[in-house]
């Protein structure tokens, strides 16, 4: 599998979906999900801090996505639309040099009122779970 010439940037809109890469993301995402859920069973999400920057991330989230209510169901189609992907990409890039795995895949509960399940889970990005569900 080749991602192109060394030093070339990968355009996410033109990238193929590499099956092995997706499997690696999925395995890591399930590990994060399991750990996160175990923590949520012991403490309220509003008390949880995953990074030193959680409050800053949450304030940035509220500024960039004022229409999203973390207590309500996330519209996956809107989030994953071309416009939605661009908004999230711009949001996450602010943390590229600040947070390890700032854009790594994660399993996101579409609605915080329900546990993780096949119909209640969205594959998203790490920073998203950290700021949306912690406050």
């Amino acid at each position: 599998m080749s991602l192109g010439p060394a030093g070339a940037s990968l355009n996410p809109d033109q990238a193929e979906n590499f099956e092995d890469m997706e499997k690696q993301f999925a395995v890591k995402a399930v590990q994060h999900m399991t750990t996160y859920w175990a923590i949520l069973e012991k403490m309220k999400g509003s008390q949880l801090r995953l990074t030193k920057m959680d409050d800053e991330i949450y304030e940035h989230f509220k500024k960039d996505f004022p229409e999203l209510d973390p207590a309500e169901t996330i519209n996956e189609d809107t989030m994953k639309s071309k416009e939605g992907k661009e908004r999230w990409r711009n949001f996450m890039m602010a943390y590229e040099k600040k947070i390890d795995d700032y854009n790594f895949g994660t399993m996101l509960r579409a609605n915080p009122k329900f546990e993780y399940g096949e119909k209640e889970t969205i594959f998203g990005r790490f920073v998203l779970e950290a700021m949306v569900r912690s406050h």
Side-chain angles (χ1 to χ4, degrees), residues 18-128:
F18 297 109
E19 191 173 332
D20 289 342
M21 196 182 292
E22 287 182 356
K23 287 178 184 176
Q24 290 173 5
F25 274 119
V27 167
K28 189 74 167 180
V30 169
Q31 290 172 341
H32 281 222
M33 175 186 71
T34 304
T35 301
Y36 186 70
W37 190 255
I39 294 169
L40 286 177
E41 289 180 318
K42 294 176 177 45
M43 71 183 331
K44 294 169 79 173
S46 60
Q47 298 172 333
L48 178 62
R49 294 294 178 262
L50 299 174
T51 76
K52 296 175 188 175
M53 299 181 63
D54 281 9
D55 292 332
E56 177 185 330
I57 293 167
Y58 187 60
E59 290 304 315
H60 181 194
F61 165 74
K62 290 191 308 185
K63 180 178 138 291
D64 283 13
F65 299 94
E67 75 283 4
L68 290 180
D69 181 350
E72 296 300 321
T73 300
I74 295 170
N75 182 319
E76 184 173 7
D77 293 333
T78 301
M79 185 176 97
K80 292 186 174 183
S81 69
K82 184 175 180 171
E83 179 185 314
K85 285 180 182 181
E86 184 65 24
R87 287 180 75 194
W88 285 112
R89 186 178 301 116
N90 291 337
F91 175 81
M92 289 186 314
M93 292 309 292
Y95 303 99
E96 179 179 22
K97 295 186 182 352
K98 298 178 181 180
I99 298 176
D100 292 341
D101 295 335
Y102 72 99
N103 69 341
F104 204 84
T106 190
M107 305 304 279
L108 173 68
R109 289 179 297 146
N111 186 310
K113 297 174 180 98
F114 303 104
E115 293 185 25
Y116 289 102
E118 184 179 338
K119 293 179 179 157
E120 299 82 22
T121 304
I122 300 171
F123 184 75
R125 298 291 184 204
F126 176 76
V127 169
L128 181 67

